[in-house]
Amino acid sequence: MPKIKIVPSILSAKMDKLQEEIDEIEDYSDLLQVDVMDNVFVPNITPQAELLKKFNTKVPLDIHLMVKEPSEEYLMSFIDANPNLKINNITVHQEACEYLGKTLDFIKSKNVKAAVAINPKTPLDAITSVLDKVEMVLIMTVEPGFSGQGFMEEVLPKIEKLRELNPELDIQVDGGINLKTAHLAVSAGANVLVASSYIFKSEDKVKAIKDLLESVK
């Protein structure tokens, strides 16, 4: 299985102290996730590409778009927002893209890794036709939209099946990740762990990350 990666999501970070919070954890993070919501695909809204102008980090970004039909212009707004940032990947939802393959191809054409996400109720079959286009699959372990929800164990068989299909693929999980659920997810085959409230609501964020890594050894 590929290397375990820890990905703090700034969704639960204090926006008025965002740079300070990122500085605290960047030496211990493999990627930094920026969750983007449009109040259409999910019932919540966040800052859009302009947020990327408000901080800097050496950690590559994982842009998770919970957005209905992201256009090429919209995707470029993130790619071009801040030349000081490195964007590792842009993740789009299968449920939100009518022309999913075309969207993934466009992301890759901009020298950014493409990733696809599926919600807890979406079957794996919905993305098998695009697995050759992506570097990572995000299997949501909560319904997307809000931080702090409980981990849905019923998605674990989906992770197991995907790992069997693709032994070297980065399989990301997002939602309700803590010491217990991280172990469950990694045991099923996930290797990229997104944690938001678990890290950013901790008194010692660095310790929280180290404990998370220790829990999956």
Side-chain angles (χ1 to χ4, degrees):
M1 190 167 79
K3 173 184 178 283
I4 301 293
K5 299 174 188 175
I6 303 296
V7 185
S9 163
I10 63 172
L11 188 59
S12 295
K14 297 184 178 104
M15 286 298 140
D16 58 336
K17 296 183 177 178
L18 183 56
Q19 187 64 58
E20 189 180 316
E21 300 235 295
I22 290 171
D23 290 346
E24 190 177 342
I25 53 97
E26 68 174 3
D27 285 342
Y28 305 90
S29 307
D30 293 288
L31 299 169
L32 192 68
Q33 189 178 80
V34 178
D35 285 306
V36 184
M37 309 179 206
D38 62 355
N39 208 29
V40 178
F41 179 60
V42 292
N44 196 0
I45 194 160
T46 59
Q48 304 294 302
E50 70 270 12
L51 178 63
L52 303 192
K53 299 174 184 176
K54 297 180 179 177
F55 67 89
N56 282 300
T57 180
K58 62 189 178 186
V59 183
L61 298 187
D62 166 11
I63 308 289
H64 177 199
L65 297 181
M66 290 168 270
V67 171
K68 187 74 174 170
E69 299 297 349
S71 66
E72 292 182 359
E73 181 182 11
Y74 183 81
L75 293 165
M76 287 306 301
S77 71
F78 287 88
I79 293 168
D80 293 338
N82 184 342
N84 295 319
L85 296 174
K86 174 175 172 53
I87 296 178
N88 178 74
N89 63 278
I90 295 178
T91 303
V92 295
H93 271 259
Q94 181 273 337
E95 305 88 353
C97 298
E98 185 177 358
Y99 302 104
L100 180 59
K102 184 181 174 188
T103 302
L104 295 169
D105 285 340
F106 178 78
I107 293 168
K108 289 167 74 79
S109 76
K110 301 303 171 185
N111 294 316
V112 174
K113 292 178 182 176
V116 64
I118 53 174
N119 288 344
K121 293 183 177 67
T122 302
L124 206 52
D125 292 348
I127 58 166
T128 48
S129 65
V130 297
L131 287 179
D132 61 335
K133 297 179 183 289
V134 299
E135 281 80 18
M136 183 169 72
V137 170
L138 165 54
I139 295 183
M140 292 297 297
T141 43
V142 297
E143 291 295 338
F146 295 91
S147 181
Q149 298 182 66
F151 182 93
M152 300 170 72
E153 291 190 24
E154 55 266 37
V155 304
L156 292 172
K158 199 156 43 174
I159 299 170
E160 291 171 354
K161 184 178 177 186
L162 181 57
R163 177 55 70 207
E164 287 173 13
L165 284 172
N166 291 265
E168 299 306 316
L169 181 70
D170 274 338
I171 300 177
Q172 185 177 60
V173 287
D174 183 358
I177 296 298
N178 55 37
L179 300 184
K180 178 191 171 189
T181 59
H183 179 75
L184 291 173
V186 170
S187 296
N191 70 297
V192 185
L193 304 172
V194 177
S196 186
S197 53
Y198 168 76
I199 292 172
F200 284 105
K201 302 291 187 193
S202 295
E203 287 186 20
D204 187 335
K205 299 175 188 62
V206 171
K207 183 178 184 299
I209 292 172
K210 289 179 175 178
D211 288 348
L212 202 57
L213 265 175
E214 193 62 34
S215 75
V216 298
K217 283 184 179 176

